[in-house]
Amino acid sequence: MQTELSRKLGIEHAVFGFTPFPAVAAAISRAGGFGVLGAVRYTAPGDLKRDLDWLDAHAGGRPYGLDVVMPAKKVEGVTEADVEAMIPEEHRRFVRDTLAAHGVPELAEGEASGWRITGWMEQVARTQLDVAFDYPIRLLANALGSPPADVVARAHDRDVLVAALAGSARHARKHQEAGIDIVVAQGYEAGGHTGEIATMVLTPEIVDAVDPLPVLAAGGIGSGRQVAAALTLGAQGVWLGSIWLTMTEADLHSPALTRKLLAAGSGDTVRSRALTGKPARQLRTEWTDAWDDPAGPGTLPMPLQGLLVAEAVSRIQKYEVEPLLGTPVGQIVGRMTAERSVQEVVDDLTRGFEKAVDRINRIAGRSGQP
């Protein structure tokens, strides 16, 4: 599973693993892939520094990266309090009523919400970068378009490659014009924010649109034969996220959520604006159903929706209120039927890849190793 990009980064397998868990990111890198730590949940620089210290110490000297969320255009002088003030009372009442209908307890007095969406705000992302650039990260990925030009330049000055996710060839070309090094073609099947074009269609479109930039295929990929298909479509690797949620190294802090993920089928997800205000694929729950119901007030645009539901999501997660309990996850959830280690998954990917390549060689009338 070697490509020009994997050789450039010094990794054994062209498998890039996005995860919010430092232990999973480190394990992916140790297994020969490229672990990418999601930074969006780190609102305190000290917390990110602590986990990057751990990741750096446990990656086995292998390369790793960081994923942030920041817009290409900067909005000056807007604080979290300013954004909070824009949230209508009607929407706040809808949250209160929905939680009350399901008997969701309040947080303890003085207890802060453990899930905040402030990582979506640019000033927070910039503090994350101030911390991250003190570490030997090899890749900076942005999930919300191209990073601002000064961030791209700052990364390049440190010999850090910059990747950005795209849901269409048009978006991918904008990334190329912005000086991005790697485009992640994120198909409709993917978890989290995703567009409407399926991975099988999207990947070759983006490969052709940004040639010779390397492209990673993302969305619905969880087997070695799918990795082989992605490389056949012209990608130089795969970007996997959802599949790592049920790893033994993951720390979901929720047995109930793990059970729901392991029991879910590929049809049990939905693209909903309930979490952030932008369409994000996640487990379908009574929470997403409530927000998608035309009888409700409808969701707010990003970042208002995320700030609105932050405390509610914390309460649902803390008390494991199963009808409302969910998480961003892709359609690959139907293959996530057992808790496994990262090494087991990487081994399964490589074995499946070899079998797929051998099969194509036989079909093409060739034999031996590719």
Side-chain angles (χ1 to χ4, degrees):
M1 291 163 62
Q2 280 277 314
T3 65
E4 182 181 350
L5 179 60
S6 67
R7 287 189 288 270
K8 180 176 183 178
L9 287 168
I11 58 176
E12 185 178 355
H13 309 303
V15 173
F16 294 73
F18 164 78
T19 174
F21 307 116
V24 175
I28 293 168
S29 291
R30 290 197 308 270
F34 192 99
V36 181
L37 179 65
V40 71
R41 68 191 180 96
Y42 295 99
T43 56
D47 291 343
L48 179 58
K49 183 180 186 306
R50 177 201 64 215
D51 282 359
L52 283 174
D53 282 339
W54 192 97
L55 173 55
D56 195 59
H58 291 82
R62 305 291 183 88
Y64 60 89
L66 191 76
D67 179 280
V68 297
V69 179
M70 60 192 314
K73 295 181 180 179
K74 185 174 183 178
V75 180
E76 298 283 356
V78 178
T79 67
E80 182 180 342
D82 294 331
V83 178
E84 287 268 14
M86 301 177 190
I87 298 173
E89 177 57 31
E90 176 191 14
H91 286 75
R92 295 187 187 278
R93 183 168 57 250
F94 182 76
V95 170
R96 291 194 297 268
D97 291 347
T98 303
L99 296 178
H102 288 84
V104 182
E106 298 275 357
L107 294 176
E109 185 175 352
E111 181 179 358
S113 168
W115 188 91
R116 296 295 286 169
I117 203 68
T118 50
W120 298 100
M121 302 182 72
E122 183 186 348
Q123 62 267 33
V124 177
R126 286 185 176 273
T127 63
Q128 294 166 349
L129 294 179
D130 290 339
V131 173
F133 283 138
D134 286 336
Y135 292 83
I137 62 171
R138 294 294 309 282
L139 176 71
L140 174 66
N142 188 40
L144 198 64
S146 304
D150 67 296
V151 171
V152 176
R154 190 178 176 190
H156 287 167
D157 286 345
R158 290 162 172 77
D159 198 29
V160 175
L161 297 179
V162 180
L165 277 64
S168 71
R170 179 175 62 86
H171 292 154
R173 282 190 288 267
K174 287 185 177 181
H175 293 335
Q176 186 177 37
E177 292 166 2
I180 300 304
D181 304 294
I182 302 167
V183 176
V184 180
Q186 186 179 27
Y188 173 81
E189 305 95 324
H193 295 119
T194 187
E196 298 182 348
I197 305 174
T199 305
M200 180 65 75
V201 174
L202 181 67
T203 301
E205 284 188 353
I206 288 183
V207 168
D208 292 344
V210 301
D211 183 62
L213 280 189
V215 173
L216 302 177
I221 300 172
S223 70
R225 54 189 159 170
Q226 289 174 304
V227 177
L231 300 192
T232 303
L233 293 172
Q236 288 202 31
V238 293
W239 177 275
L240 310 182
S242 298
I243 197 168
W244 312 112
L245 288 172
T246 53
M247 297 299 96
T248 54
E249 296 93 341
D251 192 9
L252 280 177
H253 297 296
S254 175
L257 181 55
T258 299
R259 288 194 302 271
K260 291 188 75 170
L261 288 169
L262 296 176
S266 56
D268 292 327
T269 68
V270 63
R271 284 174 74 243
S272 171
R273 298 176 184 268
L275 189 61
T276 68
K278 284 184 176 292
R281 186 170 297 284
Q282 54 203 281
L283 280 180
R284 182 175 181 176
T285 65
E286 292 186 26
W287 178 254
T288 62
D289 286 348
W291 282 105
D292 295 339
D293 188 340
T299 56
L300 297 170
M302 180 187 278
L304 300 183
Q305 182 70 16
L307 289 170
L308 168 67
V309 305
E311 181 180 317
V313 172
S314 285
R315 290 165 58 186
I316 292 166
Q317 291 177 345
K318 176 178 179 177
Y319 298 110
E320 296 192 299
V321 183
E322 293 204 32
L324 304 179
L325 186 62
T327 185
V329 68
Q331 292 181 332
I332 196 63
V333 70
R335 293 182 62 91
M336 296 158 50
T337 57
E339 291 186 78
R340 297 187 290 168
S341 71
V342 167
Q343 186 66 62
E344 286 178 292
V345 170
V346 173
D347 288 346
D348 183 58
L349 292 172
T350 56
R351 284 193 299 266
F353 176 81
E354 290 168 357
K355 290 179 180 178
V357 171
D358 286 345
R359 180 172 183 270
I360 293 300
N361 281 334
R362 289 195 301 272
I363 291 171
R366 295 190 296 268
S367 60
Q369 292 298 313

